[in-house]
Amino acid sequence: MKLAAIDIGSNAARLLIVEVSKDEKGNPIYNKVNLIRVPLRLGIDVFESGIISKQRIGMLMQTMKAYKHLLNAYEVPYLKACATSAMRDAKNSTDIIRKVKLETDIEIEIITGDYEAGIIYENHIAENLDKDHSYMYIDVGGGSTEISFFSNGVLTFKESFNIGTIRLMKNMVEEKQWDQMKDVIRSITKGQKEVIAIGSGGNINKVFSLSKRKDGKPLTFELLKDYYKELSNVTLDERIRLYNLREDRADVILPALQIFINIMRWANASEIYVPKIGLVDGLVKHLYEEVK
């Protein structure tokens, strides 16, 4: 069975196509067929003006039409398309969703931050790790950061914070928002077992790739601080050249590291695992549960 999910974020739109088979126990195995990412940067418009500009609406429409062609080419019968922080905040999101539906027949659902956090958690990475620790899922996007906390085999907390890489780049995060996040994280981790972080999002995946760590091995808090210092000391152009980064990654990787470092510091987490998970992976699994 082929399934697909589209995640329209503040920084990029992703299309994931998977083929689902079953193991000998009947559990689903998700085999990735294709993953496409287009850096639309919807958040740059929204967080400054409150709407998505005509130019970016045009880019979004072209992307959705291209995704529709790919879905047809791969003969994918089932699709779940969701939009997050930028579309949540955009005053013209209803009109855009209507236009996408009219021109591509793709139905976009704007999901809440809490729902987004829940979908990330539902990748169930922590359930496969030891029970001697607590686990904090941290998903950093362009417009928001989703945090889920997992202790003694139970999800005890999930919340979305309007602190994201593009908001930080545009100086649109106030000190009180950081303070609120800090207070929440310290409160939910107080008295709990030692916290291990689980990171998702394109930026932490890129840092993991730069580290040359083997899959399944964690990054340390100290290493993230070293990368932040190292990347801060070079210009954007040098970051692109020296670290082989795309421009749309080179500018957001620093604010992303800032978010991960702050959260890990407040949670007293010394390590972060970086499995290849994201919102689209969670959406596909949700879709499979609905379809089956």
Side-chain angles (χ1 to χ4, degrees), residues 10 41-49 56 166 169-170:
S10 304
R41 297 255 156 141
L42 302 181
I44 286 179
D45 285 349
V46 177
F47 307 143
E48 287 186 335
S49 67
R56 288 193 203 276
I166 290 181
M169 269 172 52
K170 294 291 176 183

Side-chain angles (χ1 to χ4, degrees), residues 63-74:
T63 302
M64 290 300 107
K65 286 173 183 176
Y67 285 177
K68 182 65 176 179
H69 287 311
L70 282 168
L71 291 166
N72 290 340
Y74 279 105

Side-chain angles (χ1 to χ4, degrees), residues 6-10 12-14 38-42 45-46 52-68 81-83 86-87 90 92-101 103-104 106 108 110:
I6 295 173
D7 160 27
I8 302 167
S10 304
R14 292 173 181 81
V38 179
L40 295 175
R41 297 255 156 141
L42 302 181
D45 285 349
V46 177
I52 296 169
S53 66
K54 282 184 180 177
Q55 181 197 356
R56 288 193 203 276
I57 292 171
M59 291 164 64
L60 174 63
M61 291 307 303
Q62 291 299 326
T63 302
M64 290 300 107
K65 286 173 183 176
Y67 285 177
K68 182 65 176 179
C82 292
M87 291 281 267
N92 57 342
S93 58
T94 305
D95 292 337
I96 294 167
I97 287 169
R98 193 183 300 118
K99 185 175 171 66
V100 170
K101 172 67 175 168
E103 296 188 25
T104 68
I106 292 173
I108 298 168
I110 297 178

